[in-house]
Structure formats: structure tokens, C-alpha cells
């Protein structure tokens, strides 16, 4: 006589099948299916791996062995991609970097949050971390006034604040040359258009091209397409120089985003950040959407995630040095 399955069998089956569907959406960008649902699911790939394994254990406990095996197989595929990304990350590059006394340039990137009316935490962290260059987005004209005295130690400044979330500022203790500001106004009202800011920073180690980027968040299929268009425009700007390049920003994309991977590959960059930066209150359980990518003629010596600065993002601090010629 076959024992009838009672509760919790049916709920576990439903949860397991739901986990399979979410995991399949998460894996879709890995096989070239770059849709909106796949982008959102892939943003949470490590979390989905963990959730899929938990669902597999639940399915195994009630002897839904086929379902449990399918969930484990999916978790292995997704987990292998997460592990590969970690091996290619800025953190991995920093761990393996040899420090030979070369001059390092320390650069901060921060999304300060447009509605953040208290910049004291941001200023305090800048003063304690003492970077050479500061790049910040969601900077309003009010923010510029609030930090003006504290940023007096950075005499070279490119200030493009906005009253919307896409203003950008760059503060540098080294001279700035070749300033370029590109507004992304295609199909976007100029009053709310994102911008790309690129400058040459004349450091003791040589010229460093620093680009600040903050594209649209992929909150709708249309915004996803626009964000990827903005990646392409940024790539057109970056392709014009062989000078060492550092591209920092709130990319609104995780290392598992097909669009971000294409941007990094197309521009021969490295340095996926795999440590959570958003939302700040999630701590380690958040997702990494703030990055600092470098060209192949730069080495990443160190990268760290900063503290709470009153924003929904945590900032990042990266140290880079030119690659020595043989």
C-alpha cells in the first residue's frame, strides 16, 4: 500500500517549481536571452543560488527526488558562474597584486543620494580615507555648497550638479585636463538626462583618464534598453584613448548582468565589484551595482566598500597603479 503524501508535500512542490522558474529566469542571460525578467533575476544570482539549494533540501525531505535533483543541478550551474565572476573580480585582482612601491592613485566613487540633506557622513569618510580623486553622482547644487569648505583640499574640480539624480562631480588634488561632459538626451528631457563626465588626471604616475557614469536603472524593459544604449555611448567615448582608464559609477547593473558584461568585454576592462553596495541597509545581503573598472594597463592594488554615508548606496574606494613596462 502506497503511503499518501500529505502536507507539506503539495506546498513544497509549488515552492520548488517556483524556485525552478526563478532559477531558469536567472540563467537565461547566460544563454543569450537578455530579457527584462532575466536581467532582474540575474541581479540576485547569489541569493537565488542559496534559495534554490534550500528548496532542493525541502524537496528531498519529502522525497520529490526529481524536483530536488533539478534544483541542485540548476544551483550548481548558477553557483559556478558566481564563483567564476568572483575569480575575475576586482577583489581577486587586488588579492593577487604585487606591491612594488609603485605610485598608487586612490579614487573614491559615491552615490550620495539626491534627497540626502546631510553630507557630514560623506565628508567625514572622505577626510578619513584621504583619496586623491573623488567622483560622486546624485550630486545637487545644494550638495556642492554643503561640501565646498571640506573639499577645499581638492583644488581641481569638475562640477556638473543637477537637481535630478544624474548630476556628477569630480574633485581632484592633481591637475585636471581634457574635461568632457556628454549629456544623454536621446528620448530624454534635457532637464533629467544622465551625463558622462571624463577627465584626464595628471598624477605622479602619469595621466589617468577617469570617467564617471550613472545610467538609468533597468526598472522597465524600456529603461533596460536605454541603460544598455548608455553603456554603448560610454564605450564610444572610452575607445578614443590608450591612456590608462578608470571607469567608476553607479552602473545599475551587477556582475551577472549581460549588458554590463558586454560593456566590460567590448571595452577590454576588468574589475567587477562583487561586494554589496545597494541597498545600503541590506549590508552584506545587498547587491553590487557600484563598480570601478580599469583598462589592462592599470593594476588594481586594493578595493574596499565604504561605510554608511546617509545614502542608499555604500561608496567604494579603489587604489590603482600603472602596469610596469617589461
Amino acid at each position: 500500500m502506497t503511503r499518501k503524501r500529505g502536507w507539506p508535500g503539495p506546498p513544497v512542490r509549488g515552492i520548488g517549481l517556483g524556485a525552478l522558474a526563478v532559477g531558469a529566469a536567472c540563467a537565461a542571460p547566460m544563454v543569450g536571452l537578455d530579457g527584462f525578467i532575466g536581467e532582474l533575476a540575474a541581479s540576485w544570482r547569489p541569493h537565488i543560488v542559496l534559495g534554490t539549494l534550500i528548496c532542493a533540501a525541502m524537496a528531498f525531505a519529502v522525497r520529490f527526488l526529481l524536483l530536488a535533483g533539478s534544483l541542485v543541478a540548476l544551483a550548481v550551474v548558477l553557483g559556478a558562474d558566481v564563483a567564476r565572476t568572483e575569480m575575475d573580480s576586482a577583489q581577486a585582482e587586488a588579492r593577487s597584486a604585487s606591491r612594488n612601491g609603485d605610485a598608487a592613485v586612490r579614487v573614491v566613487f559615491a552615490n550620495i543620494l539626491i534627497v540626502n540633506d546631510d553630507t557630514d557622513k560623506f565628508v567625514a569618510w572622505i577626510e578619513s580615507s584621504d583619496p586623491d580623486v573623488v567622483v560622486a553622482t546624485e550630486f545637487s547644487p545644494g550638495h556642492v555648497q554643503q561640501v565646498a569648505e571640506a573639499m577645499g583640499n581638492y583644488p581641481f574640480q569638475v562640477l556638473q550638479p543637477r537637481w535630478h539624480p544624474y548630476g556628477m562631480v569630480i574633485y581632484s588634488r592633481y591637475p585636471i585636463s581634457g574635461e568632457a561632459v556628454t549629456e544623454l538626451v536621446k528620448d530624454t528631457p534635457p532637464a533629467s538626462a544622465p551625463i558622462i563626465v571624463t577627465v584626464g588626471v595628471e598624477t605622479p604616475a602619469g595621466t589617468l583618464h577617469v570617467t564617471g557614469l550613472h545610467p538609468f536603472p533597468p526598472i522597465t524593459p524600456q529603461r533596460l534598453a536605454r541603460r544598455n544604449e548608455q553603456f554603448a555611448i560610454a564605450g564610444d567615448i572610452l575607445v578614443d584613448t590608450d591612456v590608462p582608464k578608470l571607469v567608476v559609477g553607479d552602473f545599475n547593473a551587477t556582475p551577472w548582468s549581460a549588458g554590463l558584461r558586454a560593456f566590460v568585454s567590448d571595452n577590454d576592462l576588468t574589475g567587477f565589484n562583487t561586494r554589496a553596495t545597494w541597498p545600503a541597509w541590506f549590508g552584506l545581503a545587498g547587491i553590487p551595482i557600484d563598480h570601478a573598472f580599469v583598462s589592462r594597463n592599470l593594476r588594481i592594488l586594493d578595493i574596499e566598500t565604504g561605510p554608511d554615508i546617509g545614502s542608499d548606496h555604500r561608496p567604494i574606494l579603489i587604489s590603482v597603479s600603472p602596469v610596469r613596462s617589461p
Side-chain angles (χ1 to χ4, degrees), residues 72-102:
V72 168
L74 185 56
V76 167
V77 171
L78 296 174
D81 185 69
V82 171
R84 181 183 67 82
T85 303
E86 180 62 36
M87 293 172 61
D88 293 336
S89 68
Q91 284 76 16
E93 187 170 341
R95 286 193 296 267
S96 64
S98 59
R99 292 162 175 79
N100 299 317
D102 294 342

Side-chain angles (χ1 to χ4, degrees), residues 44-64:
W44 299 88
R45 186 165 290 167
H47 305 71
I48 289 174
V49 170
L50 179 60
T52 301
L53 288 174
I54 292 172
C55 291
M58 293 168 59
F60 182 80
V62 295
R63 302 193 63 79
F64 292 150

Side-chain angles (χ1 to χ4, degrees), residues 169-255:
V169 295
I170 298 180
Y171 297 92
S172 173
R173 60 167 41 112
Y174 301 127
I176 286 176
S177 62
E179 170 189 340
V181 179
T182 303
E183 289 195 333
L184 305 176
V185 296
K186 179 182 177 182
D187 300 328
T188 302
S192 59
I195 59 175
I196 300 170
V197 180
T198 300
V199 299
V201 180
E202 305 303 327
T203 79
T207 301
L208 173 66
H209 275 205
V210 177
T211 297
L213 179 61
H214 183 194
F216 284 143
I219 55 176
T220 66
Q222 294 75 21
R223 283 290 179 111
L224 172 61
R226 294 298 312 285
R227 186 206 64 185
N228 292 342
E229 286 178 6
Q230 290 160 10
F231 285 160
I233 294 171
D236 292 339
I237 295 171
L238 295 172
V239 78
D240 292 335
T241 177
D242 292 326
V243 173
K245 296 186 283 286
L246 174 64
V247 187
V248 299
D250 169 7
F251 285 78
N252 279 309
T254 68

Side-chain angles (χ1 to χ4, degrees), residues 119-120 122-124 126-127 144-155 157 171:
T119 57
D120 289 348
F122 169 72
V123 168
I126 294 299
E127 291 175 344
V144 170
Q145 293 179 359
Q146 289 176 30
V147 306
E149 181 178 355
M151 302 309 280
N153 294 326
Y154 297 88
Q157 303 179 0
Y171 297 92

Side-chain angles (χ1 to χ4, degrees), residues 91-178:
Q91 284 76 16
E93 187 170 341
R95 286 193 296 267
S96 64
S98 59
R99 292 162 175 79
N100 299 317
D102 294 342
V105 182
R106 291 160 53 82
V107 180
V108 153
F109 171 76
N111 180 325
I112 198 170
L113 186 61
I114 190 66
V115 296
N116 179 8
D117 59 2
D118 182 2
T119 57
D120 289 348
K121 290 181 179 179
F122 169 72
V123 168
W125 186 61
I126 294 299
E127 291 175 344
S128 64
S129 57
D130 192 31
D132 300 305
V133 182
V134 178
V135 184
T137 190
E138 298 209 18
F139 233 78
S140 72
H143 291 140
V144 170
Q145 293 179 359
Q146 289 176 30
V147 306
E149 181 178 355
M151 302 309 280
N153 294 326
Y154 297 88
F156 305 98
Q157 303 179 0
V158 176
L159 305 179
Q160 291 287 329
R162 301 288 190 273
W163 289 114
H164 59 72
Y166 299 102
M168 188 86 63
V169 295
I170 298 180
Y171 297 92
S172 173
R173 60 167 41 112
Y174 301 127
I176 286 176
S177 62

